[in-house]
Amino acid sequence: MSELRRVAVFCGSAPGHDASLVEAAYDVGRGLAQRGLGLVYGAGGHGLMGAVSQGALDAGGEVIGVIPRSMVEREWGRSDLSELHVVETMHERKALMAELADGFLCLPGGLGTLEEIVEVWSWRQIGFNDDPVCFYDTKGFWQPLLGALQGLVDAGFVRQDVLDDVVVADDLDTALAGLAERAGATFVDKLRGT
């Protein structure tokens, strides 16, 4: 895991209906800190975002938050982090998170979470960012999405090697090992097939 120093975590700003997902997010944050890995996340103070950051802080870990100014003004963030970066737009937020992290871990969440992980994953396949991506599949949360993504492969819109590159794990050790293993992978040219 020497390639990984910091992991960006995308997850829900709401707690969802299953309290075990909040516990899992807390455990991920704590686990990253216990392994000496920094957490980069969206600086939210509620839901799974609040839980993952609290887990890392409680274990003495580095927690870097990146949040748009408008969300700070609505008091959606937290200020007790190792570092807090206030940016102007969501685009700046994702770009800075990508710059600060060495891999991406996607916990359960909603549309924002999904948009974030799909964007950085698409950057990877076209060479804009080489950091690996993992769906943290707590309680099979991501299985419906992964099935739909296989449908995109079957229809010829996503290459199988791109889907196969994504780590799917339901525990932190497997997730981190998968991310480390895939660091620096390259893909064939999207249009030329070489």
Side-chain angles (χ1 to χ4, degrees):
M1 283 183 262
S2 60
E3 298 91 351
L4 298 176
R5 294 165 294 131
R6 293 179 180 145
V7 175
V9 173
F10 298 130
C11 59
S13 59
H17 297 305
D18 184 345
S20 71
L21 298 180
V22 176
E23 292 171 24
Y26 180 91
D27 290 345
V28 165
R30 184 183 63 205
L32 289 172
Q34 290 171 337
R35 290 162 178 81
L37 298 171
L39 167 66
V40 178
Y41 88 116
H46 306 286
L48 271 61
M49 291 178 77
V52 72
S53 58
Q54 194 61 53
L57 289 169
D58 287 351
E62 175 189 48
V63 180
I64 301 173
V66 184
I67 189 168
R69 185 174 314 283
S70 64
M71 291 182 173
V72 172
E73 291 167 357
R74 287 183 260 181
E75 299 181 353
W76 287 358
R78 58 188 303 171
S79 59
D80 59 342
L81 308 175
S82 308
E83 291 179 31
L84 179 64
H85 299 269
V86 179
V87 297
E88 296 305 318
T89 69
M90 291 294 282
H91 296 296
E92 290 177 69
R93 179 196 221 180
K94 288 178 286 188
L96 183 54
M97 289 177 72
E99 182 181 321
L100 293 169
D102 305 305
F104 300 94
L105 188 60
C106 187
L107 277 61
L111 292 177
T113 302
L114 192 55
E115 182 270 335
E116 290 168 329
I117 196 66
V118 169
E119 183 167 20
V120 296
W121 180 23
S122 70
W123 291 349
R124 178 170 166 81
Q125 70 158 329
I126 58 175
F128 284 14
N129 186 332
D130 63 358
D131 295 335
V133 171
C134 176
F135 284 95
Y136 196 78
D137 198 31
T138 303
K139 299 180 81 172
F141 184 87
W142 293 115
Q143 289 305 307
L145 174 66
L146 295 167
L149 292 170
Q150 184 62 53
L152 297 180
V153 171
D154 297 344
F157 291 105
V158 175
R159 292 187 324 277
Q160 187 67 54
D161 67 320
V162 172
L163 183 58
D164 291 344
D165 179 63
V166 172
V167 179
V168 179
D170 63 2
D171 67 87
L172 189 56
D173 286 331
T174 303
L176 294 174
L179 288 173
E181 178 183 306
R182 287 166 175 82
T186 57
F187 298 94
V188 299
D189 186 281
K190 182 176 180 174
L191 298 179
R192 292 183 194 73
T194 58

PDB file of all heavy atoms in Angstrom, residues 134-168:
ATOM      1  N   CYS A 134     -12.743   2.501  -6.084  1.00  0.00           N
ATOM      2  CA  CYS A 134     -13.344   1.342  -5.403  1.00  0.00           C
ATOM      3  C   CYS A 134     -14.765   1.663  -4.959  1.00  0.00           C
ATOM      4  O   CYS A 134     -15.013   2.720  -4.371  1.00  0.00           O
ATOM      5  CB  CYS A 134     -12.516   0.958  -4.181  1.00  0.00           C
ATOM      6  SG  CYS A 134     -13.232  -0.378  -3.190  1.00  0.00           S
ATOM      7  N   PHE A 135     -15.675   0.738  -5.235  1.00  0.00           N
ATOM      8  CA  PHE A 135     -17.011   0.788  -4.654  1.00  0.00           C
ATOM      9  C   PHE A 135     -16.970  -0.055  -3.383  1.00  0.00           C
ATOM     10  O   PHE A 135     -16.720  -1.259  -3.433  1.00  0.00           O
ATOM     11  CB  PHE A 135     -18.057   0.239  -5.625  1.00  0.00           C
ATOM     12  CG  PHE A 135     -18.401   1.188  -6.729  1.00  0.00           C
ATOM     13  CD1 PHE A 135     -17.773   1.104  -7.956  1.00  0.00           C
ATOM     14  CD2 PHE A 135     -19.349   2.179  -6.531  1.00  0.00           C
ATOM     15  CE1 PHE A 135     -18.080   1.990  -8.976  1.00  0.00           C
ATOM     16  CE2 PHE A 135     -19.669   3.072  -7.547  1.00  0.00           C
ATOM     17  CZ  PHE A 135     -19.028   2.977  -8.771  1.00  0.00           C
ATOM     18  N   TYR A 136     -17.199   0.587  -2.247  1.00  0.00           N
ATOM     19  CA  TYR A 136     -17.231  -0.111  -0.964  1.00  0.00           C
ATOM     20  C   TYR A 136     -18.635  -0.691  -0.815  1.00  0.00           C
ATOM     21  O   TYR A 136     -19.588   0.017  -0.503  1.00  0.00           O
ATOM     22  CB  TYR A 136     -16.897   0.868   0.167  1.00  0.00           C
ATOM     23  CG  TYR A 136     -16.522   0.198   1.457  1.00  0.00           C
ATOM     24  CD1 TYR A 136     -15.253  -0.343   1.624  1.00  0.00           C
ATOM     25  CD2 TYR A 136     -17.421   0.113   2.499  1.00  0.00           C
ATOM     26  CE1 TYR A 136     -14.892  -0.949   2.811  1.00  0.00           C
ATOM     27  CE2 TYR A 136     -17.071  -0.492   3.692  1.00  0.00           C
ATOM     28  CZ  TYR A 136     -15.811  -1.029   3.840  1.00  0.00           C
ATOM     29  OH  TYR A 136     -15.453  -1.636   5.019  1.00  0.00           O
ATOM     30  N   ASP A 137     -18.743  -1.982  -1.047  1.00  0.00           N
ATOM     31  CA  ASP A 137     -20.032  -2.645  -1.256  1.00  0.00           C
ATOM     32  C   ASP A 137     -20.641  -3.196   0.035  1.00  0.00           C
ATOM     33  O   ASP A 137     -21.001  -4.370   0.122  1.00  0.00           O
ATOM     34  CB  ASP A 137     -19.841  -3.761  -2.291  1.00  0.00           C
ATOM     35  CG  ASP A 137     -21.141  -4.214  -2.903  1.00  0.00           C
ATOM     36  OD1 ASP A 137     -22.065  -3.390  -3.029  1.00  0.00           O
ATOM     37  OD2 ASP A 137     -21.232  -5.407  -3.255  1.00  0.00           O
ATOM     38  N   THR A 138     -20.767  -2.336   1.023  1.00  0.00           N
ATOM     39  CA  THR A 138     -21.374  -2.710   2.294  1.00  0.00           C
ATOM     40  C   THR A 138     -22.786  -3.252   2.077  1.00  0.00           C
ATOM     41  O   THR A 138     -23.618  -2.593   1.463  1.00  0.00           O
ATOM     42  CB  THR A 138     -21.444  -1.484   3.228  1.00  0.00           C
ATOM     43  OG1 THR A 138     -20.137  -0.971   3.393  1.00  0.00           O
ATOM     44  CG2 THR A 138     -22.030  -1.847   4.572  1.00  0.00           C
ATOM     45  N   LYS A 139     -23.027  -4.454   2.567  1.00  0.00           N
ATOM     46  CA  LYS A 139     -24.354  -5.083   2.481  1.00  0.00           C
ATOM     47  C   LYS A 139     -24.868  -5.174   1.041  1.00  0.00           C
ATOM     48  O   LYS A 139     -26.062  -5.121   0.802  1.00  0.00           O
ATOM     49  CB  LYS A 139     -25.354  -4.354   3.384  1.00  0.00           C
ATOM     50  CG  LYS A 139     -24.952  -4.384   4.859  1.00  0.00           C
ATOM     51  CD  LYS A 139     -25.932  -3.666   5.733  1.00  0.00           C
ATOM     52  CE  LYS A 139     -27.107  -4.577   6.022  1.00  0.00           C
ATOM     53  NZ  LYS A 139     -28.025  -4.002   7.025  1.00  0.00           N
ATOM     54  N   GLY A 140     -23.939  -5.257   0.076  1.00  0.00           N
ATOM     55  CA  GLY A 140     -24.329  -5.366  -1.326  1.00  0.00           C
ATOM     56  C   GLY A 140     -24.950  -4.108  -1.891  1.00  0.00           C
ATOM     57  O   GLY A 140     -25.631  -4.159  -2.924  1.00  0.00           O
ATOM     58  N   PHE A 141     -24.689  -2.958  -1.256  1.00  0.00           N
ATOM     59  CA  PHE A 141     -25.324  -1.704  -1.638  1.00  0.00           C
ATOM     60  C   PHE A 141     -25.153  -1.378  -3.118  1.00  0.00           C
ATOM     61  O   PHE A 141     -26.086  -0.882  -3.762  1.00  0.00           O
ATOM     62  CB  PHE A 141     -24.766  -0.558  -0.786  1.00  0.00           C
ATOM     63  CG  PHE A 141     -25.426   0.764  -1.048  1.00  0.00           C
ATOM     64  CD1 PHE A 141     -26.574   1.123  -0.365  1.00  0.00           C
ATOM     65  CD2 PHE A 141     -24.909   1.656  -1.987  1.00  0.00           C
ATOM     66  CE1 PHE A 141     -27.195   2.340  -0.606  1.00  0.00           C
ATOM     67  CE2 PHE A 141     -25.529   2.870  -2.238  1.00  0.00           C
ATOM     68  CZ  PHE A 141     -26.675   3.212  -1.548  1.00  0.00           C
ATOM     69  N   TRP A 142     -23.970  -1.623  -3.666  1.00  0.00           N
ATOM     70  CA  TRP A 142     -23.684  -1.217  -5.039  1.00  0.00           C
ATOM     71  C   TRP A 142     -24.019  -2.276  -6.081  1.00  0.00           C
ATOM     72  O   TRP A 142     -23.825  -2.041  -7.284  1.00  0.00           O
ATOM     73  CB  TRP A 142     -22.213  -0.801  -5.174  1.00  0.00           C
ATOM     74  CG  TRP A 142     -21.911   0.456  -4.411  1.00  0.00           C
ATOM     75  CD1 TRP A 142     -21.087   0.590  -3.335  1.00  0.00           C
ATOM     76  CD2 TRP A 142     -22.431   1.765  -4.672  1.00  0.00           C
ATOM     77  NE1 TRP A 142     -21.064   1.901  -2.897  1.00  0.00           N
ATOM     78  CE2 TRP A 142     -21.888   2.645  -3.705  1.00  0.00           C
ATOM     79  CE3 TRP A 142     -23.318   2.290  -5.622  1.00  0.00           C
ATOM     80  CZ2 TRP A 142     -22.187   4.000  -3.669  1.00  0.00           C
ATOM     81  CZ3 TRP A 142     -23.623   3.646  -5.584  1.00  0.00           C
ATOM     82  CH2 TRP A 142     -23.059   4.481  -4.617  1.00  0.00           C
ATOM     83  N   GLN A 143     -24.514  -3.437  -5.689  1.00  0.00           N
ATOM     84  CA  GLN A 143     -24.782  -4.496  -6.663  1.00  0.00           C
ATOM     85  C   GLN A 143     -25.755  -4.098  -7.770  1.00  0.00           C
ATOM     86  O   GLN A 143     -25.518  -4.416  -8.946  1.00  0.00           O
ATOM     87  CB  GLN A 143     -25.232  -5.777  -5.954  1.00  0.00           C
ATOM     88  CG  GLN A 143     -24.108  -6.470  -5.189  1.00  0.00           C
ATOM     89  CD  GLN A 143     -22.906  -6.774  -6.045  1.00  0.00           C
ATOM     90  OE1 GLN A 143     -23.035  -7.394  -7.106  1.00  0.00           O
ATOM     91  NE2 GLN A 143     -21.727  -6.334  -5.616  1.00  0.00           N
ATOM     92  N   PRO A 144     -26.870  -3.411  -7.480  1.00  0.00           N
ATOM     93  CA  PRO A 144     -27.750  -3.001  -8.588  1.00  0.00           C
ATOM     94  C   PRO A 144     -27.043  -2.101  -9.601  1.00  0.00           C
ATOM     95  O   PRO A 144     -27.219  -2.263 -10.809  1.00  0.00           O
ATOM     96  CB  PRO A 144     -28.894  -2.259  -7.879  1.00  0.00           C
ATOM     97  CG  PRO A 144     -28.915  -2.842  -6.501  1.00  0.00           C
ATOM     98  CD  PRO A 144     -27.466  -3.090  -6.168  1.00  0.00           C
ATOM     99  N   LEU A 145     -26.239  -1.164  -9.108  1.00  0.00           N
ATOM    100  CA  LEU A 145     -25.504  -0.289 -10.016  1.00  0.00           C
ATOM    101  C   LEU A 145     -24.494  -1.090 -10.834  1.00  0.00           C
ATOM    102  O   LEU A 145     -24.368  -0.883 -12.050  1.00  0.00           O
ATOM    103  CB  LEU A 145     -24.778   0.807  -9.237  1.00  0.00           C
ATOM    104  CG  LEU A 145     -23.866   1.696 -10.091  1.00  0.00           C
ATOM    105  CD1 LEU A 145     -24.684   2.515 -11.078  1.00  0.00           C
ATOM    106  CD2 LEU A 145     -23.009   2.585  -9.213  1.00  0.00           C
ATOM    107  N   LEU A 146     -23.767  -1.981 -10.197  1.00  0.00           N
ATOM    108  CA  LEU A 146     -22.766  -2.768 -10.913  1.00  0.00           C
ATOM    109  C   LEU A 146     -23.406  -3.624 -11.999  1.00  0.00           C
ATOM    110  O   LEU A 146     -22.844  -3.789 -13.086  1.00  0.00           O
ATOM    111  CB  LEU A 146     -21.962  -3.622  -9.928  1.00  0.00           C
ATOM    112  CG  LEU A 146     -21.104  -2.807  -8.943  1.00  0.00           C
ATOM    113  CD1 LEU A 146     -20.597  -3.690  -7.818  1.00  0.00           C
ATOM    114  CD2 LEU A 146     -19.953  -2.108  -9.664  1.00  0.00           C
ATOM    115  N   GLY A 147     -24.603  -4.120 -11.738  1.00  0.00           N
ATOM    116  CA  GLY A 147     -25.338  -4.863 -12.762  1.00  0.00           C
ATOM    117  C   GLY A 147     -25.697  -3.974 -13.941  1.00  0.00           C
ATOM    118  O   GLY A 147     -25.578  -4.378 -15.112  1.00  0.00           O
ATOM    119  N   ALA A 148     -26.132  -2.756 -13.648  1.00  0.00           N
ATOM    120  CA  ALA A 148     -26.460  -1.808 -14.720  1.00  0.00           C
ATOM    121  C   ALA A 148     -25.216  -1.443 -15.524  1.00  0.00           C
ATOM    122  O   ALA A 148     -25.270  -1.312 -16.751  1.00  0.00           O
ATOM    123  CB  ALA A 148     -27.112  -0.554 -14.136  1.00  0.00           C
ATOM    124  N   LEU A 149     -24.083  -1.296 -14.845  1.00  0.00           N
ATOM    125  CA  LEU A 149     -22.842  -0.980 -15.539  1.00  0.00           C
ATOM    126  C   LEU A 149     -22.413  -2.121 -16.459  1.00  0.00           C
ATOM    127  O   LEU A 149     -21.907  -1.877 -17.558  1.00  0.00           O
ATOM    128  CB  LEU A 149     -21.741  -0.661 -14.525  1.00  0.00           C
ATOM    129  CG  LEU A 149     -21.935   0.636 -13.743  1.00  0.00           C
ATOM    130  CD1 LEU A 149     -20.932   0.730 -12.605  1.00  0.00           C
ATOM    131  CD2 LEU A 149     -21.824   1.850 -14.662  1.00  0.00           C
ATOM    132  N   GLN A 150     -22.638  -3.360 -16.018  1.00  0.00           N
ATOM    133  CA  GLN A 150     -22.342  -4.495 -16.905  1.00  0.00           C
ATOM    134  C   GLN A 150     -23.219  -4.425 -18.154  1.00  0.00           C
ATOM    135  O   GLN A 150     -22.792  -4.786 -19.246  1.00  0.00           O
ATOM    136  CB  GLN A 150     -22.540  -5.827 -16.179  1.00  0.00           C
ATOM    137  CG  GLN A 150     -22.153  -7.040 -17.021  1.00  0.00           C
ATOM    138  CD  GLN A 150     -20.679  -7.048 -17.406  1.00  0.00           C
ATOM    139  OE1 GLN A 150     -19.802  -6.940 -16.557  1.00  0.00           O
ATOM    140  NE2 GLN A 150     -20.401  -7.173 -18.703  1.00  0.00           N
ATOM    141  N   GLY A 151     -24.431  -3.919 -17.995  1.00  0.00           N
ATOM    142  CA  GLY A 151     -25.308  -3.716 -19.149  1.00  0.00           C
ATOM    143  C   GLY A 151     -24.721  -2.722 -20.138  1.00  0.00           C
ATOM    144  O   GLY A 151     -24.873  -2.875 -21.358  1.00  0.00           O
ATOM    145  N   LEU A 152     -24.022  -1.697 -19.648  1.00  0.00           N
ATOM    146  CA  LEU A 152     -23.359  -0.745 -20.535  1.00  0.00           C
ATOM    147  C   LEU A 152     -22.217  -1.415 -21.291  1.00  0.00           C
ATOM    148  O   LEU A 152     -21.968  -1.105 -22.464  1.00  0.00           O
ATOM    149  CB  LEU A 152     -22.831   0.454 -19.740  1.00  0.00           C
ATOM    150  CG  LEU A 152     -23.862   1.320 -19.023  1.00  0.00           C
ATOM    151  CD1 LEU A 152     -23.168   2.457 -18.274  1.00  0.00           C
ATOM    152  CD2 LEU A 152     -24.886   1.870 -19.989  1.00  0.00           C
ATOM    153  N   VAL A 153     -21.507  -2.324 -20.617  1.00  0.00           N
ATOM    154  CA  VAL A 153     -20.459  -3.097 -21.287  1.00  0.00           C
ATOM    155  C   VAL A 153     -21.086  -3.966 -22.374  1.00  0.00           C
ATOM    156  O   VAL A 153     -20.636  -3.979 -23.529  1.00  0.00           O
ATOM    157  CB  VAL A 153     -19.682  -3.974 -20.276  1.00  0.00           C
ATOM    158  CG1 VAL A 153     -18.736  -4.932 -20.999  1.00  0.00           C
ATOM    159  CG2 VAL A 153     -18.926  -3.100 -19.284  1.00  0.00           C
ATOM    160  N   ASP A 154     -22.142  -4.684 -22.010  1.00  0.00           N
ATOM    161  CA  ASP A 154     -22.800  -5.591 -22.963  1.00  0.00           C
ATOM    162  C   ASP A 154     -23.334  -4.843 -24.179  1.00  0.00           C
ATOM    163  O   ASP A 154     -23.377  -5.394 -25.283  1.00  0.00           O
ATOM    164  CB  ASP A 154     -23.933  -6.348 -22.273  1.00  0.00           C
ATOM    165  CG  ASP A 154     -23.432  -7.252 -21.151  1.00  0.00           C
ATOM    166  OD1 ASP A 154     -22.214  -7.531 -21.096  1.00  0.00           O
ATOM    167  OD2 ASP A 154     -24.269  -7.655 -20.311  1.00  0.00           O
ATOM    168  N   ALA A 155     -23.710  -3.583 -23.986  1.00  0.00           N
ATOM    169  CA  ALA A 155     -24.235  -2.773 -25.092  1.00  0.00           C
ATOM    170  C   ALA A 155     -23.130  -2.099 -25.910  1.00  0.00           C
ATOM    171  O   ALA A 155     -23.409  -1.451 -26.914  1.00  0.00           O
ATOM    172  CB  ALA A 155     -25.192  -1.713 -24.546  1.00  0.00           C
ATOM    173  N   GLY A 156     -21.870  -2.254 -25.472  1.00  0.00           N
ATOM    174  CA  GLY A 156     -20.754  -1.711 -26.232  1.00  0.00           C
ATOM    175  C   GLY A 156     -20.387  -0.274 -25.931  1.00  0.00           C
ATOM    176  O   GLY A 156     -19.644   0.346 -26.693  1.00  0.00           O
ATOM    177  N   PHE A 157     -20.851   0.267 -24.811  1.00  0.00           N
ATOM    178  CA  PHE A 157     -20.543   1.655 -24.470  1.00  0.00           C
ATOM    179  C   PHE A 157     -19.436   1.804 -23.430  1.00  0.00           C
ATOM    180  O   PHE A 157     -18.891   2.894 -23.262  1.00  0.00           O
ATOM    181  CB  PHE A 157     -21.808   2.371 -23.990  1.00  0.00           C
ATOM    182  CG  PHE A 157     -22.798   2.588 -25.083  1.00  0.00           C
ATOM    183  CD1 PHE A 157     -23.942   1.816 -25.158  1.00  0.00           C
ATOM    184  CD2 PHE A 157     -22.575   3.539 -26.064  1.00  0.00           C
ATOM    185  CE1 PHE A 157     -24.860   1.995 -26.176  1.00  0.00           C
ATOM    186  CE2 PHE A 157     -23.479   3.731 -27.094  1.00  0.00           C
ATOM    187  CZ  PHE A 157     -24.626   2.961 -27.151  1.00  0.00           C
ATOM    188  N   VAL A 158     -19.123   0.755 -22.715  1.00  0.00           N
ATOM    189  CA  VAL A 158     -18.018   0.727 -21.756  1.00  0.00           C
ATOM    190  C   VAL A 158     -17.224  -0.546 -22.051  1.00  0.00           C
ATOM    191  O   VAL A 158     -17.820  -1.601 -22.275  1.00  0.00           O
ATOM    192  CB  VAL A 158     -18.541   0.711 -20.295  1.00  0.00           C
ATOM    193  CG1 VAL A 158     -17.394   0.565 -19.301  1.00  0.00           C
ATOM    194  CG2 VAL A 158     -19.346   1.974 -19.992  1.00  0.00           C
ATOM    195  N   ARG A 159     -15.912  -0.411 -22.072  1.00  0.00           N
ATOM    196  CA  ARG A 159     -15.071  -1.600 -22.307  1.00  0.00           C
ATOM    197  C   ARG A 159     -15.010  -2.457 -21.042  1.00  0.00           C
ATOM    198  O   ARG A 159     -14.983  -1.930 -19.929  1.00  0.00           O
ATOM    199  CB  ARG A 159     -13.677  -1.177 -22.742  1.00  0.00           C
ATOM    200  CG  ARG A 159     -13.644  -0.531 -24.113  1.00  0.00           C
ATOM    201  CD  ARG A 159     -12.234  -0.268 -24.608  1.00  0.00           C
ATOM    202  NE  ARG A 159     -11.286   0.113 -23.575  1.00  0.00           N
ATOM    203  CZ  ARG A 159     -11.142   1.352 -23.109  1.00  0.00           C
ATOM    204  NH1 ARG A 159     -11.906   2.330 -23.554  1.00  0.00           N
ATOM    205  NH2 ARG A 159     -10.241   1.612 -22.186  1.00  0.00           N
ATOM    206  N   GLN A 160     -14.926  -3.746 -21.216  1.00  0.00           N
ATOM    207  CA  GLN A 160     -14.877  -4.667 -20.073  1.00  0.00           C
ATOM    208  C   GLN A 160     -13.663  -4.391 -19.193  1.00  0.00           C
ATOM    209  O   GLN A 160     -13.753  -4.482 -17.969  1.00  0.00           O
ATOM    210  CB  GLN A 160     -14.868  -6.125 -20.557  1.00  0.00           C
ATOM    211  CG  GLN A 160     -14.992  -7.136 -19.426  1.00  0.00           C
ATOM    212  CD  GLN A 160     -16.347  -7.104 -18.735  1.00  0.00           C
ATOM    213  OE1 GLN A 160     -17.376  -7.212 -19.386  1.00  0.00           O
ATOM    214  NE2 GLN A 160     -16.350  -6.951 -17.418  1.00  0.00           N
ATOM    215  N   ASP A 161     -12.511  -4.021 -19.786  1.00  0.00           N
ATOM    216  CA  ASP A 161     -11.323  -3.766 -18.970  1.00  0.00           C
ATOM    217  C   ASP A 161     -11.515  -2.565 -18.053  1.00  0.00           C
ATOM    218  O   ASP A 161     -10.951  -2.513 -16.962  1.00  0.00           O
ATOM    219  CB  ASP A 161     -10.070  -3.611 -19.838  1.00  0.00           C
ATOM    220  CG  ASP A 161     -10.062  -2.366 -20.716  1.00  0.00           C
ATOM    221  OD1 ASP A 161     -11.114  -2.017 -21.279  1.00  0.00           O
ATOM    222  OD2 ASP A 161      -8.986  -1.744 -20.835  1.00  0.00           O
ATOM    223  N   VAL A 162     -12.337  -1.603 -18.480  1.00  0.00           N
ATOM    224  CA  VAL A 162     -12.614  -0.436 -17.638  1.00  0.00           C
ATOM    225  C   VAL A 162     -13.470  -0.845 -16.438  1.00  0.00           C
ATOM    226  O   VAL A 162     -13.190  -0.463 -15.307  1.00  0.00           O
ATOM    227  CB  VAL A 162     -13.285   0.682 -18.462  1.00  0.00           C
ATOM    228  CG1 VAL A 162     -13.752   1.819 -17.567  1.00  0.00           C
ATOM    229  CG2 VAL A 162     -12.319   1.200 -19.530  1.00  0.00           C
ATOM    230  N   LEU A 163     -14.488  -1.653 -16.693  1.00  0.00           N
ATOM    231  CA  LEU A 163     -15.323  -2.130 -15.580  1.00  0.00           C
ATOM    232  C   LEU A 163     -14.525  -3.054 -14.660  1.00  0.00           C
ATOM    233  O   LEU A 163     -14.631  -2.958 -13.435  1.00  0.00           O
ATOM    234  CB  LEU A 163     -16.570  -2.846 -16.109  1.00  0.00           C
ATOM    235  CG  LEU A 163     -17.556  -3.323 -15.049  1.00  0.00           C
ATOM    236  CD1 LEU A 163     -18.054  -2.169 -14.185  1.00  0.00           C
ATOM    237  CD2 LEU A 163     -18.727  -4.037 -15.705  1.00  0.00           C
ATOM    238  N   ASP A 164     -13.700  -3.907 -15.247  1.00  0.00           N
ATOM    239  CA  ASP A 164     -12.908  -4.840 -14.438  1.00  0.00           C
ATOM    240  C   ASP A 164     -11.874  -4.129 -13.573  1.00  0.00           C
ATOM    241  O   ASP A 164     -11.421  -4.679 -12.564  1.00  0.00           O
ATOM    242  CB  ASP A 164     -12.197  -5.853 -15.331  1.00  0.00           C
ATOM    243  CG  ASP A 164     -13.160  -6.831 -15.998  1.00  0.00           C
ATOM    244  OD1 ASP A 164     -14.331  -6.927 -15.556  1.00  0.00           O
ATOM    245  OD2 ASP A 164     -12.739  -7.494 -16.966  1.00  0.00           O
ATOM    246  N   ASP A 165     -11.475  -2.923 -13.963  1.00  0.00           N
ATOM    247  CA  ASP A 165     -10.482  -2.168 -13.201  1.00  0.00           C
ATOM    248  C   ASP A 165     -11.037  -1.650 -11.876  1.00  0.00           C
ATOM    249  O   ASP A 165     -10.288  -1.410 -10.938  1.00  0.00           O
ATOM    250  CB  ASP A 165      -9.981  -0.985 -14.043  1.00  0.00           C
ATOM    251  CG  ASP A 165      -8.961  -0.150 -13.305  1.00  0.00           C
ATOM    252  OD1 ASP A 165      -7.881  -0.682 -12.982  1.00  0.00           O
ATOM    253  OD2 ASP A 165      -9.240   1.035 -13.038  1.00  0.00           O
ATOM    254  N   VAL A 166     -12.344  -1.495 -11.789  1.00  0.00           N
ATOM    255  CA  VAL A 166     -12.952  -0.979 -10.563  1.00  0.00           C
ATOM    256  C   VAL A 166     -12.867  -2.036  -9.461  1.00  0.00           C
ATOM    257  O   VAL A 166     -13.227  -3.192  -9.663  1.00  0.00           O
ATOM    258  CB  VAL A 166     -14.424  -0.585 -10.803  1.00  0.00           C
ATOM    259  CG1 VAL A 166     -15.120  -0.240  -9.499  1.00  0.00           C
ATOM    260  CG2 VAL A 166     -14.490   0.586 -11.753  1.00  0.00           C
ATOM    261  N   VAL A 167     -12.405  -1.611  -8.304  1.00  0.00           N
ATOM    262  CA  VAL A 167     -12.356  -2.498  -7.138  1.00  0.00           C
ATOM    263  C   VAL A 167     -13.746  -2.529  -6.510  1.00  0.00           C
ATOM    264  O   VAL A 167     -14.382  -1.490  -6.350  1.00  0.00           O
ATOM    265  CB  VAL A 167     -11.331  -1.985  -6.107  1.00  0.00           C
ATOM    266  CG1 VAL A 167     -11.302  -2.883  -4.880  1.00  0.00           C
ATOM    267  CG2 VAL A 167      -9.954  -1.839  -6.734  1.00  0.00           C
ATOM    268  N   VAL A 168     -14.205  -3.710  -6.176  1.00  0.00           N
ATOM    269  CA  VAL A 168     -15.459  -3.875  -5.433  1.00  0.00           C
ATOM    270  C   VAL A 168     -15.100  -4.680  -4.191  1.00  0.00           C
ATOM    271  O   VAL A 168     -14.580  -5.791  -4.304  1.00  0.00           O
ATOM    272  CB  VAL A 168     -16.528  -4.595  -6.276  1.00  0.00           C
ATOM    273  CG1 VAL A 168     -17.812  -4.771  -5.455  1.00  0.00           C
ATOM    274  CG2 VAL A 168     -16.805  -3.840  -7.566  1.00  0.00           C
TER     275      VAL A 168
END
